[in-house]
């Protein structure tokens, strides 16, 4: 059974920062690829940042240089440091996990098997 619980969302202004966290209840956490996805109102969910089981990271072009994803396999956590936030970064952010043998780029484009309930991020100008 996979349970993912996100925290850290909130409302900030353009240019400010937020740090999202995900606590995973997963056995053999280190065998999972982990990632962050987001969905804005009336838009499809999109991949934001993924780190696969080998530690390879990939980011959406829109967040490169501003967001940093990291995982702690000992603590079974995933984080997303978001800097220089923009209004278009607003949306529900979901932590995700997948044990299939795909790489980070594949996950970013195609999604993952398990998602949490999400945490809301709102950026105002």
């Amino acid at each position: 059974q996979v349970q993912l619980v996100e925290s850290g969302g909130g409302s900030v202004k353009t240019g400010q920062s937020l740090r999202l966290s995900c606590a995973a209840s997963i056995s053999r956490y280190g065998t999972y690829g982990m990632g962050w996805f987001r969905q804005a109102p009336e838009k499809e969910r999109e991949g934001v940042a993924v780190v696969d089981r080998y530690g390879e990271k990939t980011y959406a072009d829109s967040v490169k240089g501003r967001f940093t994803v990291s995982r702690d396999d000992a603590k079974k956590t995933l984080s997303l440091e978001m800097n220089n936030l923009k209004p278009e970064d607003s949306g529900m952010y979901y932590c995700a996990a997948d044990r299939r043998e795909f790489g980070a780029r594949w996950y970013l484009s195609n999604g993952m098997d398990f998602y949490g309930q999400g945490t809301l991020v709102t950026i105002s100008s």
Side-chain angles (χ1 to χ4, degrees), residues 73-86:
D73 287 1
K75 295 181 179 179
K76 298 186 179 182
T77 58
L78 182 75
S79 64
L80 184 68
E81 186 73 34
M82 306 187 293
N83 298 315
N84 190 21
L85 284 161
K86 304 175 181 181

Side-chain angles (χ1 to χ4, degrees), residues 6-91:
E6 303 93 339
S7 62
S11 298
V12 298
K13 295 185 177 181
T14 298
Q16 293 185 328
S17 299
L18 279 174
R19 181 181 176 88
L20 305 184
S21 296
C22 172
S25 295
I26 301 177
S27 60
R28 303 181 67 188
Y29 176 84
T31 65
Y32 283 75
M34 299 295 299
W36 290 98
F37 291 74
R38 69 186 179 190
Q39 187 168 18
E42 301 183 357
K43 291 189 176 181
E44 293 188 357
R45 185 168 55 199
E46 63 175 351
V48 175
V50 171
V51 51
D52 70 15
R53 66 181 71 186
Y54 305 110
E56 179 183 348
K57 300 178 183 181
T58 194
Y59 298 89
D61 288 343
S62 60
V63 307
K64 283 180 182 176
R66 300 188 297 121
F67 290 14
T68 302
V69 63
S70 58
R71 62 185 295 164
D72 186 328
D73 287 1
K75 295 181 179 179
K76 298 186 179 182
T77 58
L78 182 75
S79 64
L80 184 68
E81 186 73 34
M82 306 187 293
N83 298 315
N84 190 21
L85 284 161
K86 304 175 181 181
E88 52 264 40
D89 294 319
S90 297

